[in-house]
C-alpha cells in the first residue's frame, strides 16, 4: 500500500523567511503533484513533476523530485502572507491517474 | 479554463437518508474522481471512473456507490447516510493522459445528523 507522508504538518513562519516542506512516499513512482488549498476552498494544482530530478518554479515556490530517495520538496523563498494555505503532495503509483495524497502541510505566514 | 462544479456547497441530511452528490465537468475529461477530506487524514479516494458507465473502487468505497451515465457527470450516492459520513466531499476530473493533473470542484460539506 502506497503511503505518502508530509512534514511538517503545520508550519508557522515569518514573512521574508525561507522554508521547505517535505513529501516522502513509500513505493516507486516518477509522477508527483503539488496542490494548494485555501481555507474553505478547493484544491488548486501548483506543480506536476514527471521525472527524477524534475524542478519546477512559480514565483516564490519551487518544487523538486528525487525518485531514488522517494522524496519531493516544496521550497518557499522569502515567504509572504498570501502564501498562507494548506499544501498537499500527491503521488501517482502508475495506476491510471489514481493519486494518493499526503495529509497536507498547513502553512501560516505571519507579518 | 477547466470547470468542475458540484451541485451543493453545503448539505444537511438525516441518518438513513439517501444522498446524491452531483459533479459536472466541462472539459471532456475521461477520468472523474470522488474524494472525501477529513482533518488530519488528507484526501481519500472513494471511487473513480475512466469512462462512461465504468467505475472502480478507491480506498474507502464502503457505504458509497457511484453512477456515470454521461461523460461530463459523475454522481456519488450514499445509500443510507450515517454520521461517520459527515465530511467534505471533493470531485475531480482529468484527461485520459496518465500524467495529467486533476482539477477539483469547490467541494460539498455534508453533515449527517
Amino acid at each position: 500500500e502506497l503511503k505518502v507522508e508530509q512534514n511538517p504538518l503545520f508550519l508557522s513562519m515569518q514573512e521574508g523567511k525561507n522554508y521547505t516542506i517535505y513529501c516522502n512516499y513509500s513505493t516507486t513512482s516518477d509522477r508527483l503533484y503539488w496542490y494548494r488549498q485555501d481555507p474553505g476552498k478547493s484544491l488548486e494544482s501548483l506543480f506536476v513533476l514527471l521525472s527524477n530530478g524534475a524542478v519546477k518554479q512559480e514565483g516564490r515556490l519551487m518544487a523538486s523530485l528525487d525518485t531514488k530517495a522517494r522524496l519531493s520538496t516544496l521550497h518557499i523563498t522569502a515567504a509572504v502572507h498570501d502564501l498562507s494555505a494548506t499544501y498537499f503532495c500527491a503521488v501517482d503509483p502508475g495506476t491510471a491517474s489514481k493519486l494518493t495524497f499526503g495529509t497536507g502541510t498547513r502553512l501560516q505566514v505571519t507579518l | 479554463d477547466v470547470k468542475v462544479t458540484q451541485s451543493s456547497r453545503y448539505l444537511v441530511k438525516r441518518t438513513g437518508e439517501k444522498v446524491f452528490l452531483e459533479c459536472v465537468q466541462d472539459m471532456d475529461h475521461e477520468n472523474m474522481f470522488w474524494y472525501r477530506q477529513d482533518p488530519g487524514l488528507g484526501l481519500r479516494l472513494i471511487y473513480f471512473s475512466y469512462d462512461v458507465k465504468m467505475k472502480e473502487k478507491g480506498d474507502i468505497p464502503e457505504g458509497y456507490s457511484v453512477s456515470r451515465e454521461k461523460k461530463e457527470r459523475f454522481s456519488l450516492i450514499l445509500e443510507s447516510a450515517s454520521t461517520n459520513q459527515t465530511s467534505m466531499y471533493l470531485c475531480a476530473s482529468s484527461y485520459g493522459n496518465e500524467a495529467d493533473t486533476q482539477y477539483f470542484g469547490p467541494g460539498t460539506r455534508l453533515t449527517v445528523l
Side-chain angles (χ1 to χ4, degrees), chain A residues 1-4 24-30 67 70 91-94:
Chain A
E1 182 193 341
L2 171 59
K3 291 193 185 304
V4 181
N24 291 272
Y25 54 97
S26 62
T27 65
T28 303
S29 174
D30 58 2
T67 59
R70 298 178 187 170
V91 177
D92 179 352

Side-chain angles (χ1 to χ4, degrees), chain B residues 36-38 64 84-89 108-111:
Chain B
R36 63 177 282 175
Q37 182 178 21
D38 300 288
Y64 303 94
N84 63 12
Q85 292 178 309
T86 292
S87 186
M88 170 69 86
Y89 289 88
T108 296
R109 184 164 293 284
L110 172 67
T111 302

Side-chain angles (χ1 to χ4, degrees), chain A residues 3-4 6 18 39 49 52 56 58 78 83 100 108:
Chain A
K3 291 193 185 304
V4 181
Q6 286 182 237
N18 304 333
L49 303 168
N52 186 40
K56 295 275 182 80
E58 176 85 27
L83 290 179
T100 298
Q108 184 176 65

Side-chain angles (χ1 to χ4, degrees), chain A residues 10-26:
Chain A
F10 177 72
L11 175 57
S12 179
M13 57 190 296
Q14 287 184 314
E15 275 202 335
K17 300 289 188 184
N18 304 333
Y19 211 81
T20 301
I21 298 170
Y22 298 88
C23 174
N24 291 272
Y25 54 97
S26 62

Side-chain angles (χ1 to χ4, degrees), chain A:
Chain A
E1 182 193 341
L2 171 59
K3 291 193 185 304
V4 181
E5 292 184 351
Q6 286 182 237
N7 69 83
L9 297 183
F10 177 72
L11 175 57
S12 179
M13 57 190 296
Q14 287 184 314
E15 275 202 335
K17 300 289 188 184
N18 304 333
Y19 211 81
T20 301
I21 298 170
Y22 298 88
C23 174
N24 291 272
Y25 54 97
S26 62
T27 65
T28 303
S29 174
D30 58 2
R31 290 196 283 268
L32 190 137
Y33 305 80
W34 283 97
Y35 292 87
R36 168 184 171 142
Q37 185 177 37
D38 291 300
K41 302 279 181 71
S42 191
L43 276 74
E44 172 192 352
S45 179
L46 288 175
F47 298 112
V48 179
L49 303 168
L50 299 177
S51 61
N52 186 40
V55 177
K56 295 275 182 80
Q57 182 161 7
E58 176 85 27
R60 299 172 190 275
L61 300 177
M62 184 173 72
S64 65
L65 178 61
D66 181 343
T67 59
K68 291 177 183 170
R70 298 178 187 170
L71 171 69
S72 179
T73 59
L74 181 66
H75 187 73
I76 303 148
T77 302
V80 292
H81 182 68
D82 283 354
L83 290 179
S84 297
T86 300
Y87 293 86
F88 291 92
C89 64
V91 177
D92 179 352
T95 313
S97 308
K98 186 179 148 185
L99 298 180
T100 298
F101 283 79
T103 51
T105 296
R106 189 169 142 235
L107 172 66
Q108 184 176 65
V109 180
T110 56
L111 298 169

